[in-house]
Amino acid sequence: MEANRGWTRDIFGVFSTNIFILIIGFVIGIILPRELGPRAMGLYFAILAIPLLTQSLIELGVRPTIVFLTGKKVYSEEKIVSGLIYILAISTIVCIILFSIIFYFLNNPDYHISFIIIIIIITPLRLAIAYSRAFILAKEKIKRFNRSNLFFMLCNLIGVIVLVWILKLGVLGALLSLLFASLVVSIYSVAVIAREHRIQLGFDIKVVSTIFKQGLVFALSYFIIRLNYRIDIVLMERLSTLTEVGYYSLGVNIAEQLFQLPAALFAVVVSRSANATDQVKMTRDVSKLLRITFAIALLCSVILFFAVPFLITFIYGSQFAPSIKVVQLILPGILFIIIFKVLNGHLSGIGKPYISALVFAPPVVINIILNIFWIPLYGGLGAAMATNVSYTLGAITLLIVYSRVMNIPLVEMLHYRLSDFDFIRTLKTRLLKP
């Protein structure tokens, strides 16, 4: 177990990996728009919005439940791993039924049957990856968690280069790239677990039922949260054009690169929260991380605001110029949602994701209503404005609720101290170390 390692080392480890992932994602993000064009990009993001939106329900809340049960040692690791085999089978059946119903009722002629089949095949593979990563994260094996994330992006990059850039397979090639990456990494992830734990096929109803009961709360909570992230793409596909979806999706994808730091924090915070015995200290540490993250993200967002006109026209070409305003307009919402991501990591780690879900439920409704009114009028900019309102309202509300639930004054949470930035000296020493 790596529990005795410092926060800075864990976060630096995940963040340094995220930098490589960011670079790989950047390369993929150049190839896809240039090869597909705005409309095909819109189709690609629109069809992926369905599995991304429903992923929490399909996972049945198992991923955060694994982290919680393993971290708190409720059951032996072997029993949890064995129970996951049955749950994966059930999740796969749910996936096939759910996606078949969704795509049938959407009845979009642009969603070719081959696209739908690939999406259905990818999902159980991604579930196997998600469950394996959750188990690794619960044991605070941060390096292996990082390696799995990086491996997936590398495989996806290889697929995109071969299938999209060289063979010119378009959206089909982009989806096949995801299938290739999912297949390879799922095999790797399962092999890592199987190498360290004896997998028993005995059906322990107590373990499986506990995972399902606990997971139901997580599933509904994460679905509400994820709904706020991706409902705009689904509504745009219905209320606008695929070309407009392409402009908006590229803009959001660029702005969401600010998530790389909170993504590193989320993995570490969830893992440490599940294993922490002193929640008072944990709350102070999370508050400190929140202050640091927000300051760094604010600086990065200002730089991105002024740099994005040059970046988009230079990298993606003038055909994606409408994405510039999307990035600039949505940055405030992205900045505020970072607050939500950090605090939600702690609440998830202690088994209380429902707090975040209850907080985010009203903003989701507001987001949907505003999108319905603003997308027909303003297209992608309308969706960006709706996102800003929803994200900001949800983040500020959760900040207040978290303060009361964890019994820490808002002033203490938000008050910057010189000691907050001691990590700079630590990182400097680490980087300059011969």
Side-chain angles (χ1 to χ4, degrees):
M1 207 60 73
E2 303 173 15
N4 58 343
R5 301 195 317 166
W7 279 91
T8 303
R9 184 180 174 185
D10 276 345
I11 294 170
F12 182 78
V14 180
F15 185 57
S16 59
T17 302
N18 281 14
I19 292 297
F20 287 108
I21 291 175
L22 183 63
I23 294 172
I24 296 172
F26 181 72
V27 175
I28 294 175
I30 293 176
I31 297 174
L32 287 182
R34 284 185 170 275
E35 292 296 322
L36 299 182
R39 190 180 187 281
M41 274 290 288
L43 173 60
Y44 174 70
F45 279 109
I47 197 169
L48 283 181
I50 304 302
L52 288 174
L53 191 63
T54 57
Q55 182 174 346
S56 300
L57 290 178
I58 294 169
E59 287 183 5
L60 301 174
V62 171
R63 183 168 53 168
T65 303
I66 297 170
V67 176
F68 180 75
L69 294 179
T70 305
K72 299 304 181 185
K73 298 179 174 59
V74 178
Y75 297 108
S76 69
E77 294 177 359
E78 282 71 22
K79 285 188 176 182
I80 293 176
V81 171
S82 298
L84 288 178
I85 297 175
Y86 295 96
I87 294 173
L88 179 60
I90 295 172
S91 299
T92 300
I93 295 172
V94 172
C95 156
I96 295 173
I97 295 174
L98 183 61
F99 282 176
S100 298
I101 293 173
I102 291 175
F103 284 113
Y104 174 78
F105 281 104
L106 285 177
N107 193 29
N108 189 330
D110 290 306
Y111 294 168
H112 192 273
I113 186 64
S114 60
F115 299 169
I116 298 174
I117 292 174
I118 292 173
I119 292 294
I120 292 176
I121 296 175
I122 285 177
T123 304
L125 298 175
R126 296 297 295 269
L127 287 175
I129 296 172
Y131 295 169
S132 301
R133 283 178 178 173
F135 192 75
I136 293 170
L137 191 60
K139 298 182 67 179
E140 296 192 71
K141 293 185 178 295
I142 305 298
K143 285 185 178 180
R144 289 185 178 178
F145 179 83
N146 296 348
R147 196 178 301 142
S148 175
N149 291 333
L150 182 58
F151 197 22
F152 181 87
M153 291 299 293
L154 283 172
C155 291
N156 190 25
L157 175 60
I158 293 172
V160 167
I161 291 174
V162 174
L163 299 173
V164 179
W165 190 13
I166 298 177
L167 298 181
K168 307 294 183 182
L169 295 181
V171 176
L172 177 62
L175 293 175
L176 286 173
S177 300
L178 289 177
L179 176 59
F180 167 68
S182 300
L183 178 61
V184 173
V185 178
S186 64
I187 294 173
Y188 163 79
S189 301
V190 172
V192 168
I193 302 298
R195 188 169 60 244
E196 296 185 356
H197 298 85
R198 185 166 57 91
I199 299 178
Q200 303 171 339
L201 296 179
F203 185 81
D204 192 324
I205 185 63
K206 187 176 181 181
V207 175
V208 175
S209 61
T210 299
I211 294 176
F212 269 125
K213 290 177 184 177
Q214 182 94 19
L216 182 60
V217 177
F218 281 107
L220 294 175
S221 300
Y222 277 49
F223 174 69
I224 292 174
I225 294 170
R226 191 175 291 271
L227 194 65
N228 216 8
Y229 292 157
R230 290 293 174 256
I231 192 62
D232 46 5
I233 301 291
V234 175
L235 291 174
M236 282 196 69
E237 187 269 334
R238 299 277 94 183
L239 301 173
S240 187
T241 65
L242 286 176
T243 300
E244 190 69 20
V245 174
Y247 294 143
Y248 178 74
S249 299
L250 178 65
V252 172
N253 196 42
I254 292 173
E256 286 184 347
Q257 298 311 308
L258 293 175
F259 284 171
Q260 291 305 316
L261 180 56
L265 290 175
F266 186 84
V268 178
V269 169
V270 170
S271 176
R272 286 186 172 267
S273 298
N275 291 277
T277 55
D278 187 351
Q279 287 299 330
V280 174
K281 182 179 183 302
M282 185 72 197
T283 301
R284 293 199 202 98
D285 289 339
V286 170
S287 299
K288 179 180 178 179
L289 291 173
L290 174 64
R291 296 191 295 270
I292 295 171
T293 307
F294 189 82
I296 295 174
L298 177 60
L299 175 62
C300 292
S301 64
V302 171
I303 295 173
L304 183 59
F305 181 90
F306 291 104
V308 74
F310 169 76
L311 290 175
I312 287 182
T313 53
F314 178 74
I315 296 173
Y316 304 105
S318 58
Q319 61 176 336
F320 281 99
S323 297
I324 295 173
K325 289 185 177 180
V326 173
V327 177
Q328 293 176 327
L329 186 58
I330 206 172
L331 279 175
I334 297 294
L335 184 61
F336 272 95
I337 204 61
I338 286 174
I339 297 174
F340 180 89
K341 282 183 169 290
V342 175
L343 300 183
N344 183 49
H346 188 195
L347 294 172
S348 296
I350 61 177
K352 296 182 178 180
Y354 56 86
I355 294 177
S356 301
L358 291 174
V359 166
F360 239 44
V364 167
V365 176
I366 293 173
N367 195 4
I368 293 173
I369 294 173
L370 292 179
N371 271 302
I372 291 174
F373 281 102
W374 285 349
I375 288 176
L377 293 174
Y378 308 109
L381 297 182
M385 290 188 293
T387 297
N388 280 343
V389 173
S390 176
Y391 282 8
T392 303
L393 178 61
I396 293 176
T397 305
L398 184 62
L399 190 64
I400 297 171
V401 172
Y402 178 89
S403 170
R404 295 182 178 179
V405 170
M406 304 308 296
N407 196 27
I408 178 172
L410 269 175
V411 174
E412 182 178 344
M413 286 185 65
L414 302 178
H415 177 63
Y416 281 89
R417 303 162 178 81
L418 288 176
S419 60
D420 289 347
F421 301 95
D422 286 346
F423 74 95
I424 296 177
R425 184 168 56 254
T426 305
L427 294 181
K428 182 179 178 181
T429 303
R430 181 180 175 85
L431 290 172
L432 297 179
K433 185 177 180 181

